[in-house]
Amino acid sequence: MEYLWDGPNWSFPLLEKVSAVIEDIGVNEMGMNIYPNQIEIITSEQMLDAYSSVGMPVMYNHWSFGKSFSRDKHGYDKGMQGLAYETVINSNPCISYLMEDNTMTMQALVIAHAGIGHNLFFKSNHLFQTWTDASSIVDYLVFARGYISKCEEIYGYKVVEEFLDSCHSLQRYGVNRYKKPGKLSIAKEKERQKFRDEMNHSEINELYDSLIKKKDKIINENFPQEPEENILYFCEKHSPDLSEWKRECIRIIRKISQYLYPQIQTKVMNEGCATYMHYNIINRLHEKGLMTDGSMIEFLTSHTNVVMQPDFDSKYYNGINPYALGFAMMRDIERICKKPTDEDKKWFPDFSGCNDHLNVLRHAWINYRDESFIRQFLSPKVIRDFKLFHVRDDLGSSDLKVSAIHNDNGFQDIRNALGDSYEMDEYTPHIEVTKLDPQTRGLHLTYIPYRGRSLKNAYGMNRKIKKLWNDYPTTIWDSRGNCLATG
C-alpha cells in the first residue's frame, strides 16, 4: 500500500500531488463544480495580516487594520489565541492561503476545506453569483490601495483616515439588498475617473437648482421619490460640494462592502459546506488507503475541535458555532435521505428516503442563505442534539419566559427563532434616506424599527453620516415622525 504521505512534513511537490487527488475526489467522484484552485503558503505573521484586513490579499492602509494586527499578534505570541489553518478568497481562480506551520495532514484538510468546500460554495450560491464578481475583486483591491495611497500623499494620511473612519462606520449601509450591482471593471473605473471632476459638480448643482425651482411651484415635491437603502451610494452621488477624492473613497468602501455582503448572510452554510466536504474527502482518502491511520487520528482530532459546540453555561460558550451547526445540519440531511425515521418523513416529505443527498445539498447550497436554510432544513433531531430551546425576552416585561421546548410546536418555534437571529435587521438597524431638503441641502433619514427596538447611539451614527454629507444638516427620524438625532 502506497500512502500519499507518512509523517508531518510537507513539500511543494507533495502538496501539488495531494491537491490533485483531493480535487479528483471532489470534482470527479462527488460531482462538484469549482473554480480553478491557487494555493499559497504563508507565515503566521502573514496570516495575522490577512486577519487584520478582513481576509483580503490586498488592502488599502488604515489605522484600524494595524490595531487589529497588533491585538491579534499580541494574543497569538502570548498563547491566548490560535490562528486559522487557512483563509480563502472568493476569486477566480479561488486563492487559498495555507499556514506554513501546518502538518501535511492539516494541509490536506484545509485544501479539501477551502479548495473544494468554500470554492464550491462561492461558485454555486446565488448570493455570491448575484452580488459579487469573483474575476475582478483582486484587481479592484489593487486599484483601491493605489488610489487611497495617492490621496494620502496629496491630502495627508490623517485627513484621509478620518474620512475613511466615517465610511467604515457606515459600511453596512453601502450595499444594495434588492438591486443587482453592476460588474466590476478596472478599465471602466479608471475611464470613469477621467470625467468625474467635470461631470459630477455640474450634475449635482443642476440637481439642487432644479429641486429649488420645482419646490417653488410644487410644494410636495420630494427627492428621492423612493426611499434609498444604500446610504453610501446616495452620499457618493448627491452629497453637496463634496471633494471628488472623497466620493471615490465612498465608492471604494461600498464596493468592498457589497463584495462582503453575501459572506455575512451565509456564515453557517459556507462553513458547514466546507466542513462537510473536508470530512467526506479525507474519509475517502483513508478508505482508498492513501493516508495512514495516524494521519486519520490527527485529522479526527482537529475536525472534532472545529465542530465542538460548548454548552450555554460553559465558560467557552460564545453563541452557536457556525461550523458545528452547518456541519450537523448537512450530515443530518444525508441521514434523512438515506435512513429517514417516521419523524423525518413528517417534517421533510419532499426528500426523505430519496437516496440522493448530494443533489439535495447542492440545491440548498445554490438557493439558500443562513436564515432560510435554517427555517427549511433544521430538523427536530438536530434541535435535540444541540439542546436548543427558546427564551422570550419581552422589552415590556422584567421576566424571561421559556416559550419553546421539544414538542411539535416548540420545534417550529425554535427553528423560526433561530432563523430570525440570522436576519440582517437583527444586527444592522434598518435606516433609509427618505428626503432631501433643497433649500438647506439637509438630509433626512428614517429608522424602521425591528421588533419594536429603539435605535441606540443615533447621535453617533448621525455624526458619521454628516461627515459624508459634507457637514450639511442631517436628521434621523423614526417611522412615527419623532426626531432621534439631528445636527
Side-chain angles (χ1 to χ4, degrees):
M1 186 178 295
E2 184 178 349
Y3 300 120
L4 286 173
W5 74 92
D6 186 4
N9 297 327
W10 59 268
S11 64
F12 287 103
L14 181 56
L15 282 179
E16 188 174 0
K17 182 178 180 181
V18 171
S19 178
V21 174
I22 287 174
E23 192 164 320
D24 180 66
I25 293 173
V27 175
N28 296 326
E29 291 191 21
M30 301 180 72
M32 300 304 164
N33 183 23
I34 62 174
Y35 292 121
N37 273 307
Q38 179 177 328
I39 296 173
E40 305 281 349
I41 305 297
I42 61 176
T43 65
S44 58
E45 187 159 311
Q46 288 172 319
M47 181 64 78
L48 286 165
D49 188 50
Y51 272 16
S52 67
S53 56
V54 293
M56 297 297 190
V58 182
M59 185 56 79
Y60 54 84
N61 295 323
H62 189 258
W63 67 266
S64 62
F65 302 146
K67 178 182 176 182
S68 298
F69 178 85
S70 179
R71 179 198 63 212
D72 292 337
K73 189 174 190 306
H74 177 77
Y76 177 69
D77 291 343
K78 296 294 183 181
M80 294 184 292
Q81 75 175 59
L83 291 180
Y85 298 120
E86 48 75 32
T87 186
V88 60
I89 308 301
N90 169 29
S91 59
N92 184 11
C94 183
I95 307 173
S96 301
Y97 294 92
L98 281 58
M99 285 270 287
E100 67 174 4
D101 297 337
N102 292 344
T103 65
M104 186 58 230
T105 300
M106 293 310 304
Q107 301 291 37
L109 184 156
V110 297
I111 290 171
H113 182 94
I116 304 297
H118 283 309
N119 188 344
L120 159 70
F121 196 81
F122 291 149
K123 191 170 184 181
S124 301
N125 186 262
H126 78 283
L127 286 173
F128 286 91
Q129 292 303 301
T130 301
W131 303 108
T132 68
D133 185 2
S135 63
S136 301
I137 184 60
V138 175
D139 289 339
Y140 186 78
L141 290 173
V142 172
F143 160 78
R145 183 179 64 178
Y147 185 86
I148 290 178
S149 294
K150 186 177 179 181
C151 290
E152 289 176 340
E153 293 175 6
I154 298 173
Y155 306 105
Y157 77 92
K158 200 156 191 175
V159 173
V160 176
E161 282 194 337
E162 285 178 356
F163 187 76
L164 289 177
D165 285 345
S166 298
C167 296
H168 285 177
S169 300
L170 298 167
Q171 59 187 349
R172 290 286 180 89
Y173 299 95
V175 299
N176 294 317
R177 297 192 193 184
Y178 309 106
K179 179 183 177 183
K180 183 176 179 179
K183 293 290 186 180
L184 285 175
S185 170
I186 303 307
K188 288 183 178 179
E189 291 291 326
K190 293 179 178 179
E191 185 68 22
R192 179 186 50 77
Q193 274 192 341
K194 293 180 181 179
F195 302 99
R196 183 163 199 161
D197 289 349
E198 302 83 22
M199 292 176 61
N200 269 11
H201 281 305
S202 59
E203 287 179 357
I204 291 170
N205 289 335
E206 286 175 10
L207 167 70
Y208 288 104
D209 290 343
S210 64
L211 285 174
I212 291 172
K213 290 176 183 178
K214 286 181 179 179
K215 193 164 184 182
D216 292 336
K217 298 178 181 179
I218 307 172
I219 303 297
N220 296 321
E221 181 72 25
N222 285 329
F223 181 84
Q225 294 183 349
E226 298 290 338
E228 174 58 64
E229 62 173 349
N230 194 328
I231 297 175
L232 292 189
Y233 173 83
F234 195 87
C235 290
E236 178 203 340
K237 299 300 181 183
H238 304 302
S239 182
D241 303 325
L242 191 67
S243 301
E244 296 310 315
W245 71 267
K246 291 183 177 180
R247 295 189 197 279
E248 192 63 39
C249 286
I250 295 174
R251 182 179 178 85
I252 287 170
I253 301 303
R254 73 176 182 85
K255 287 290 185 181
I256 294 175
S257 298
Q258 192 76 64
Y259 168 83
L260 296 173
Y261 175 61
Q263 300 189 31
I264 298 171
Q265 299 185 83
T266 57
K267 183 70 173 177
V268 171
M269 290 195 70
N270 202 343
E271 297 298 354
C273 173
T275 306
Y276 179 85
M277 291 305 296
H278 85 227
Y279 179 81
N280 283 278
I281 289 173
I282 299 299
N283 271 279
R284 184 63 181 142
L285 286 177
H286 189 250
E287 289 171 4
K288 297 173 81 169
L290 297 176
M291 60 186 288
T292 66
D293 291 344
S295 295
M296 190 63 186
I297 291 172
E298 180 187 353
F299 158 74
L300 290 173
T301 300
S302 297
H303 172 78
T304 302
N305 291 333
V306 166
V307 298
M308 182 187 72
Q309 175 59 59
D311 292 333
F312 76 95
D313 55 353
S314 167
K315 67 178 182 179
Y316 301 108
Y317 179 79
N318 190 28
I320 301 292
N321 178 357
Y323 296 82
L325 181 61
F327 177 69
M329 289 181 64
M330 291 171 194
R331 287 277 290 170
D332 195 55
I333 290 172
E334 180 178 348
R335 178 193 62 80
I336 293 169
C337 291
K338 292 181 176 179
K339 297 179 180 179
T341 63
D342 291 338
E343 181 183 58
D344 297 326
K345 293 175 183 177
K346 175 184 174 182
W347 282 79
F348 305 102
D350 293 340
F351 63 88
S352 59
C354 70
N355 287 314
D356 191 6
H357 64 282
L358 286 179
N359 191 44
V360 175
L361 286 170
R362 269 193 291 265
H363 168 77
W365 293 332
I366 291 171
N367 295 294
Y368 292 85
R369 57 191 176 101
D370 287 347
E371 173 269 331
S372 55
F373 178 65
I374 289 169
R375 290 184 193 276
Q376 293 294 324
F377 293 97
L378 182 63
S379 72
K381 180 183 182 303
V382 174
I383 292 174
R384 286 192 293 267
D385 291 344
F386 277 70
K387 303 176 183 177
L388 299 177
F389 58 94
H390 184 217
V391 176
R392 184 176 298 280
D393 185 5
D394 192 341
L395 293 175
S397 173
S398 60
D399 299 324
L400 298 176
K401 178 182 178 182
V402 178
S403 60
I405 56 174
H406 293 177
N407 54 35
D408 279 354
N409 290 335
F411 289 138
Q412 189 62 55
D413 289 345
I414 291 169
R415 175 195 266 186
N416 289 334
L418 186 59
D420 287 344
S421 70
Y422 290 94
E423 283 279 13
M424 285 286 291
D425 288 343
E426 181 72 24
Y427 41 86
T428 302
H430 189 175
I431 301 175
E432 299 177 332
V433 176
T434 48
K435 186 179 179 181
L436 192 160
D437 187 335
Q439 298 288 354
T440 65
R441 300 193 176 186
L443 187 66
H444 295 261
L445 304 100
T446 301
Y447 166 59
I448 313 298
Y450 181 68
R451 299 187 176 183
R453 295 176 185 173
S454 60
L455 179 62
K456 294 184 178 180
N457 196 24
Y459 282 95
M461 177 170 282
N462 194 58
R463 284 197 301 270
K464 300 298 184 182
I465 296 173
K466 189 175 180 180
K467 283 282 187 183
L468 272 58
W469 198 243
N470 206 22
D471 288 328
Y472 282 91
T474 56
T475 306
I476 300 178
W477 307 82
D478 66 15
S479 55
R480 296 181 178 179
N482 301 313
C483 181
L484 300 178
T486 188

